[in-house]
Structures are given as C-alpha cells and as structure tokens.
Amino acid sequence: MSINAELSDLIDSKFREFKEGTIVNGTIIDIRPQVILVDIGYKSEGAIPTAEFEDEEIEVGDGVEVLLMKLEDDAGMVVLSKEKAAHKQNWEKIVKVYEDGGLVKGKVKSVVKGGLMVNVGVEAFLPGSQVDIIPPKDLTEYVGKVFEFKIVKVNDERKNIVLSRREVIEAERAELRQQFLQTVTVGDKVEGLVKNITDFGAFVDLQGMDGLLHITDMSWGRISHPSEMVHIGQSIEVQILDVDREKERVSLGIKQMLDNPWADIEAKYPISQEVKGKVTKLLPYGAFVEIERGVEGLVHVSELSWVKRITRPSDVLELGQEITAVVLGISIEEQKISLGVRQLEENPWDAIEARYPIGQRITGAVRNLTTYGAFVGLEEGIDGMIHVSDLSWTRKINHPSEVLKKGDEVEAIVLSIDKENQRVSLGVKQAENDPWSNIDDKFKVGDLVKGQVAKIASFGAFVNLQDDIDGLIHISQLSEEHVERVKDVLKVTDDVEARVIKVDKVERRIGLSIKAVSYSEDDLRKESKSFETLKPSSEMVGLEQAFNLASGEEWSPSED
C-alpha cells in the first residue's frame, strides 16, 4: 500500500469517529457579524449563527461544545448548533432529575393559556393549578421570577415537561407542620397570618400549619361575623387552645389572652344600676349596647317606653348613639345582660287606677279602629278600648266603623283596668240608661205602635221604634194574604203601624204584626202563640245581625 493510500485510510478512519446527532468539542476560529466559525477537527469547519452566543463574551481560540447536526451541507460545510447542544445536555439532566425525584430551578418566561412557560434549561409548562397552594388570580406577577419546581411529567418523544411549584410548597409546609406539631404546646402564643375567613371562624397560617380561630374564641363580646375582628392577610397573635397531633388540628384563641370581663360582672353591674353605653347593633327585637369592651347588654324593644308603641328600636335609636339604661338581669352562663330604658322614668300605669277609677266618665278622641272595638286616647301613650259589644244597648254592631270613625270625640265610662296587661276597658252604652231595663213599661203584647221601616230583609222588615229600639215584622205578619217578597209590600222609610205580638227581654227582640192591627184579643193570643213557634236561627234572626249582613234592601238567611 502506498503512503497516499495509508494517509487516505487514516483520514477516513478519523472522520468516521464523527457521528451526526452527537455533541463534540470545537474551537472558535473566526468571529463574524452574522456567524461564528467553529473547527471540530473535521475536514471542514462549521458556521453557527451569532445569536446562539447572545450575552456571552467569546474570543477566537475559545472552546465550545456543539451538536453535530450534519457532516456536510450543500456547500460542503459542517452544520453545527450550540443551542441544540445545550438543549440536549439540559434535557438529559432534566430526565435524570425527574428519575431521581429531585427539584429543578427555573425562571418564569411568560403567561400562556392555562398556566406559565418556565425555562429550566429547556422550556417547561407550569399549569395554573400548580403555581401555588391557592391558585393565583393574576399569573403575570410571577413572570421574570426564579423558583424551585418539581418535575411531574416528562414526555421524551414530544420533549414536553410539566412542572409543579405547589408540590414543592406543600412538601415544605408538611415539614414545617411536623416541626410545629412536635414543639408547640397548649398555652403558647404564636404569630400567624389570616389565610381564610368563613362564617364560623378564620383559618390562620402558623409556619405551614393551619389553625382554626373559632368565632366564639375571638372576643368576650358578641360578634356576628369573623370579618368584624380580622381580615385576610392580617398578621395576628393567637394563643394555642388545643393540639390534636394525630389529626393535625390546632385550635386558636384571641380572647383567652385578655381578662374575662364577665368574671365579676354581677359585682360591677348590680341589678337596678344605671349604666352608660353605645348602641352597637339594631335588630327588630331590640338594641345591643356596649357598656365596656367585650360586654354588651340587650334593650328589648318592649323595654324602650312605658307608653309609646315602638315597633322597631331603629325608630328611636341610632347606631353609635350613647344612651343610659338600667340593668334588669344578668346571665353569666349565657353572657347576657338585660337592660331597660323605660325604667329611667316613672311607670304611668302604676297609678292608673287613681287617675281613672271604675265608673268615671271620660271624654277622648278615637285613635284607632279594629274588628273588635275602638281605641280612645286617654293621655299620651295610654288608650282605653271600647269593645264592639259596649257601643249600644239596642243595636248589635258587628264593626265599630258602623258608628265611629277616627278622630270622633266620644264619651265613655271606665269599666275595668288590667294593670298587668296595661289595658283600660271603656263602655259607651254604659254612659246611658239601658232602654231594655224598663221595656215592660214601654211595650206590651197587644200595644199598637208606630215606627219607620229601617231595613228590608228576605224574612221581614225592621221598624225603628222609640228609644232607638227595633222591632221585626216577620213576612208572615205583613198581610192576611201570602206575601212572596217583603219589598213588594214595604220599602225603607215607610211609616207603619203595627201591633206588638212578642217581647223577648232575654234576646232583646220585639215581634210586630201589621195584619194583627185589627185583631181581637182572642185572635191576637192565637197569633202571638203561632209567632212563638218561629225558629230564632232562621225566621227570627238577631235584629241587627240581619241589618248588618243585608245587601241593598234584601238579605237571605242562607247567606249568613
């Protein structure tokens, strides 16, 4: 073999050591504006874009690791890449870290759909749910920052990497939590950060350990919601109340670090003592008044006034208002104090009987009407009630509006007083004599009487007699002939003459008859006896019941 052939074989064997896709060492032989020329010991050099050396200070003669992508291109030059060499090396490192379960540092590059892109030597994806323990609202605040991550997924074919920062934080917190649980004891005072607030309390972060600060352990006073005491992100000092190492639970308290104001509450605020305080809450049933820090009393709406009818405390009190009240009762177990405002004044009901003795005649204005009676003002805040049954001796009144209206001046008699329930009963009819007390002197069976038709009903006509007493002419007593309808014979305001055929003092009814006007005494007795057989519930209804239920000029008993 000739020397040239041997040399050719030696060169060929040397070049056969270069394999495409491998990382090789090279030397920078020229630095140009667009490319860097690198010699790898092959028969031709390679050109690498200057951009791949960005932010690096290089000189001719510097060594560099590159990826041999192609031994020769169309121009006969070696195709090299510094970036791809670094990527290949970094990828292998990432895979090794992933297999070993280690952590990797990286810089957040940008926000993408669903999370963040991170440079850990190669590009990796950090899902939004894995950024922190609580997914952040704004991912842009993480861009440009460096963190440690756990690699949770590697796809070698697609060159995809998925990271988690949340698992790193949770692992750190788990370690801190164990350290905390091993060292903390009941009674310790520790600093924490309010992490979350619920209706029943607040969760406080204690060096990786979440402790519960229950609403009942926040204040000796009464609070409606934990947000009245703390806010998210607030740094607070708390006391350890209970530690459950097995379940990893810690109970916290704030009020336990302060003196209990309820311990000697009865000595500080004896019953009947006057106290001053500030209105802190207004509810439909009463007002809460803070008489010292952590101690509130309740003024029930019924304890605001002796005489005023106060529907809501907000009608007379305002939040923040300073008021004076009297201590009515204390419950240490329930931590409740009952207060009263009206006790600061004399109760006008204490001497009510002296001012309004039974039987006294009074005059007052009608203040209100109800279905069962009328309220008459006696003095400021005190009313007397006239029951509907005490409005008239002779009329059966179903509603007081039939004879009274608001503002009317009425004269009445004091009938009774109930101090306990604060009621004064009045009567209008008692101010006059009962015309039925001597009815026998006014009306006797057989008497001829005159009157005016007041109302027509299907069963008869009502006639107004003397002393505002009504008599009933039953339809059967209108004529000897059969009468189909009362209004065919009589109409309202007609003057009539009739004979009394019945007087019922118990039921307060007087029966009249037109057809008996010319009867003999014997016929009258027979008619009166016949009239007795009428049923009070139908034919002989209550006089004023029919009056009030009548519609227009006719009313049927079946409509009752």
Side-chain angles (χ1 to χ4, degrees):
M1 182 179 294
S2 65
I3 295 175
N4 289 337
E6 290 179 2
L7 181 59
S8 177
D9 288 343
L10 180 63
I11 292 172
D12 288 342
S13 65
K14 175 67 176 176
F15 289 161
R16 280 197 295 272
E17 293 178 7
F18 293 97
K19 293 182 180 179
E20 293 180 353
T22 61
I23 294 174
V24 296
N25 292 318
T27 303
I28 296 174
I29 59 174
D30 193 10
I31 299 174
R32 299 177 182 178
Q34 301 297 325
V35 296
I36 307 295
L37 295 181
V38 177
D39 180 19
I40 63 170
Y42 195 59
K43 57 186 178 180
S44 61
E45 65 272 8
I48 299 174
T50 304
E52 293 194 22
F53 290 86
E54 188 178 8
D55 298 331
E56 289 188 36
E57 293 183 2
I58 55 174
E59 295 179 357
V60 173
D62 286 350
V64 60
E65 289 185 324
V66 293
L67 178 68
L68 176 58
M69 299 176 64
K70 197 172 183 180
L71 286 171
E72 290 185 16
D73 61 8
D74 294 340
M77 292 187 70
V78 179
V79 180
L80 306 173
S81 174
K82 177 180 176 295
E83 279 188 350
K84 291 183 178 179
H87 185 277
K88 181 177 175 64
Q89 290 173 327
N90 288 335
W91 180 266
E92 290 170 354
K93 291 177 184 177
I94 291 295
V95 172
K96 182 70 167 60
V97 171
Y98 172 65
E99 291 172 349
D100 294 343
L103 303 180
V104 61
K105 274 190 177 182
K107 184 177 183 179
V108 179
K109 290 178 59 180
S110 61
V111 178
V112 295
K113 184 179 180 180
L116 298 167
M117 291 306 297
V118 182
N119 185 357
V120 291
V122 295
E123 277 200 342
F125 177 63
L126 175 63
S129 62
Q130 297 300 313
V131 174
D132 208 333
I133 295 175
I134 300 174
K137 295 180 180 178
D138 184 11
L139 291 174
T140 58
E141 64 185 53
Y142 291 87
V143 176
K145 295 181 180 178
V146 177
F147 302 101
E148 277 195 321
F149 304 94
K150 182 176 181 181
I151 304 169
V152 294
K153 187 177 180 181
V154 173
N155 187 319
D156 199 43
E157 291 181 6
R158 297 184 180 181
K159 302 300 181 191
N160 289 339
I161 297 173
V162 180
L163 307 174
S164 173
R165 178 171 172 264
R166 176 176 179 169
E167 289 192 20
V168 176
I169 296 172
E170 286 178 342
E172 291 174 351
R173 286 175 62 84
E175 186 176 347
L176 289 171
R177 185 162 56 246
Q178 289 304 315
Q179 292 176 5
F180 181 85
L181 288 170
Q182 289 170 8
T183 58
V184 75
T185 59
V186 172
D188 286 353
K189 294 177 182 178
V190 294
E191 288 284 336
L193 204 66
V194 179
K195 182 178 178 181
N196 192 24
I197 294 176
T198 68
D199 289 338
F200 57 83
F203 287 95
V204 182
D205 187 358
L206 308 168
Q207 304 169 22
M209 178 78 205
D210 283 350
L212 174 61
L213 174 59
H214 198 271
I215 186 172
T216 57
D217 291 312
M218 289 183 169
S219 171
W220 290 111
R222 191 182 306 273
I223 60 173
S224 300
H225 196 270
S227 59
E228 296 175 25
M229 292 285 295
V230 296
H231 60 266
I232 293 176
Q234 179 183 354
S235 178
I236 58 173
E237 185 181 38
V238 290
Q239 185 171 330
I240 306 296
L241 303 183
D242 186 50
V243 179
D244 187 333
R245 291 180 171 81
E246 185 178 338
K247 295 182 178 179
E248 296 188 351
R249 292 178 183 172
V250 176
S251 297
L252 310 172
I254 293 177
K255 73 178 186 181
Q256 288 77 6
M257 296 186 292
L258 306 170
D259 291 335
N260 182 0
W262 290 87
D264 57 347
I265 202 76
E266 289 178 313
K268 286 193 291 184
Y269 303 108
I271 305 300
S272 298
Q273 178 175 307
E274 290 186 15
V275 295
K276 291 185 178 181
K278 182 173 67 175
V279 177
T280 57
K281 191 173 296 182
L282 292 171
L283 298 172
Y285 58 83
F288 283 96
V289 179
E290 185 181 55
I291 56 179
E292 69 170 72
R293 183 175 176 82
V295 178
E296 288 183 334
L298 172 65
V299 182
H300 193 269
V301 66
S302 63
E303 300 295 347
L304 288 169
S305 174
W306 291 114
V307 294
K308 292 181 182 177
R309 290 178 175 83
I310 299 172
T311 306
R312 296 168 301 180
S314 57
D315 293 338
V316 295
L317 296 175
E318 296 179 356
L319 284 175
Q321 181 179 347
E322 295 282 345
I323 67 169
T324 302
V326 174
V327 177
L328 304 180
I330 293 177
S331 172
I332 296 178
E333 290 182 1
E334 297 180 343
Q335 293 190 353
K336 292 180 180 179
I337 296 180
S338 298
L339 303 175
V341 172
R342 66 180 184 177
Q343 287 75 12
L344 296 168
E345 301 174 352
E346 185 179 349
N347 184 358
W349 285 90
D350 288 342
I352 191 75
E353 292 168 325
R355 297 198 304 279
Y356 302 101
I358 305 300
Q360 178 175 313
R361 187 181 296 265
I362 62 96
T363 301
V366 176
R367 291 164 56 92
N368 194 25
L369 298 175
T370 69
T371 55
Y372 53 84
F375 287 92
V376 176
L378 300 178
E379 59 184 66
E380 177 64 30
I382 295 182
D383 292 343
M385 200 272 282
I386 306 170
H387 193 269
V388 69
S389 63
D390 289 315
L391 285 169
S392 174
W393 289 114
T394 58
R395 295 184 59 187
K396 183 175 181 182
I397 298 169
N398 288 319
H399 195 282
S401 60
E402 296 169 20
V403 293
L404 295 173
K405 63 180 182 297
K406 281 187 179 182
D408 282 354
E409 284 286 329
V410 296
E411 192 176 80
I413 300 295
V414 178
L415 303 181
S416 65
I417 292 178
D418 183 348
K419 287 173 61 176
E420 185 177 346
N421 294 305
Q422 297 186 350
R423 293 174 183 170
V424 177
S425 296
L426 305 175
V428 169
K429 70 181 185 181
Q430 287 81 0
E432 301 174 351
N433 292 326
D434 182 0
W436 280 88
S437 62
N438 59 347
I439 197 70
D440 291 338
D441 297 334
K442 298 176 183 178
F443 301 101
K444 296 184 178 64
V445 174
D447 286 354
L448 280 173
V449 294
K450 291 181 179 181
Q452 190 177 71
V453 176
K455 185 153 292 194
I456 301 295
S458 62
F459 50 80
F462 295 95
V463 179
N464 187 243
L465 305 174
Q466 68 182 75
D467 295 330
D468 203 30
I469 293 176
D470 289 319
L472 171 64
I473 306 175
H474 193 266
I475 190 171
S476 64
Q477 300 299 316
L478 290 172
S479 174
E480 292 289 355
E481 298 178 2
H482 176 71
V483 176
E484 190 68 32
R485 297 185 303 177
V486 177
K487 62 183 180 180
D488 291 340
V489 179
L490 294 173
K491 64 179 182 298
V492 175
T493 72
D494 280 355
D495 291 324
V496 297
E497 184 179 36
R499 190 180 292 276
V500 178
I501 58 175
K502 181 178 181 181
V503 177
D504 188 337
K505 294 174 66 174
V506 176
E507 296 292 331
R508 292 179 176 250
R509 293 173 179 164
I510 293 178
L512 304 176
S513 174
I514 291 177
K515 72 178 184 180
V517 169
S518 58
Y519 277 11
S520 64
E521 290 186 11
D522 186 48
D523 289 339
L524 185 61
R525 280 194 299 272
K526 290 178 181 179
E527 193 63 35
S528 181
K529 188 175 182 181
S530 174
F531 195 73
E532 293 283 347
T533 63
L534 293 176
K535 298 178 182 178
S537 62
S538 57
E539 294 92 341
M540 194 62 175
V541 299
L543 303 184
E544 286 305 319
Q545 180 186 22
F547 276 27
N548 293 315
L549 292 176
S551 175
E553 290 189 353
E554 184 166 324
W555 173 83
S556 170
S558 65
E559 294 172 5
D560 187 2

